[in-house]
Amino acid sequence: MKWWPSWRKTAPCNEQRWIVLDVESSGLDAKHDRLLAIAALAVGFGQGSPQICLGDSFEVLLRQEVSEVDKANILLHGIGIGAQREGITPRDGLAAFEQWIGSSPLIAFHAAFDQAMIQGALQRVLGHTLPNPWVDLAHVAEAVQPEAQ
């Protein structure tokens, strides 16, 4: 099965657009492992409560030149070697992601890892990083539910 990028941007569903995202990577070492995929959706903040903007989402699988197979990692994220080889070029995928997010703040759980993976890939492929602010939901969860681990 060929992975095609799925990004689209509609008018924001509210005045202020934030992006909730997650990444898949070849491992947990942000300095040495590769960014495999990014999935994100917009959340609108404006009048009333936040609104998930289902029509404003992004998903991309970045093409990998894979020579080694890490079976445990493939089982974890479910992106097989064939799918990794058939993804979109990192240059096109990262450029599309950057255009799609615009100036929106970025939200992730344990955001430091997602930020390191995305910023590292952008720096290597496009020669720059994102200026967008990041919010870590892990810190929000600790504040809301301090007894939860």
Side-chain angles (χ1 to χ4, degrees), residues 26 66 68-81 84:
S26 62
V66 182
E68 297 178 20
V69 177
D70 183 348
K71 291 180 184 177
N73 193 272
I74 290 172
L75 289 173
L76 179 66
H77 54 62
I79 305 171
I81 193 105
Q84 291 182 39

Side-chain angles (χ1 to χ4, degrees), residues 30 45 55 60 120 140:
F45 292 87
V60 69
V140 175

Side-chain angles (χ1 to χ4, degrees), residues 8-88:
R8 54 203 169 274
K9 185 172 181 181
T10 59
C13 58
N14 259 322
E15 295 172 4
Q16 204 174 70
R17 179 176 178 260
W18 289 44
I19 304 298
V20 178
L21 63 85
D22 189 30
V23 303
E24 297 297 341
S25 64
S26 62
L28 297 176
D29 185 342
K31 290 184 180 181
H32 297 103
D33 289 313
R34 300 173 319 277
L35 177 64
L36 301 178
I38 304 171
L41 61 86
V43 176
F45 292 87
Q47 300 109 2
S49 59
Q51 180 182 14
I52 295 172
C53 306
L54 295 176
D56 192 1
S57 62
F58 181 93
E59 180 179 346
V60 69
L61 174 63
L62 303 177
R63 183 178 304 146
Q64 306 293 311
E65 303 303 326
V66 182
S67 58
E68 297 178 20
V69 177
D70 183 348
K71 291 180 184 177
N73 193 272
I74 290 172
L75 289 173
L76 179 66
H77 54 62
I79 305 171
I81 193 105
Q84 291 182 39
R85 288 183 178 144
E86 294 177 1
I88 190 169

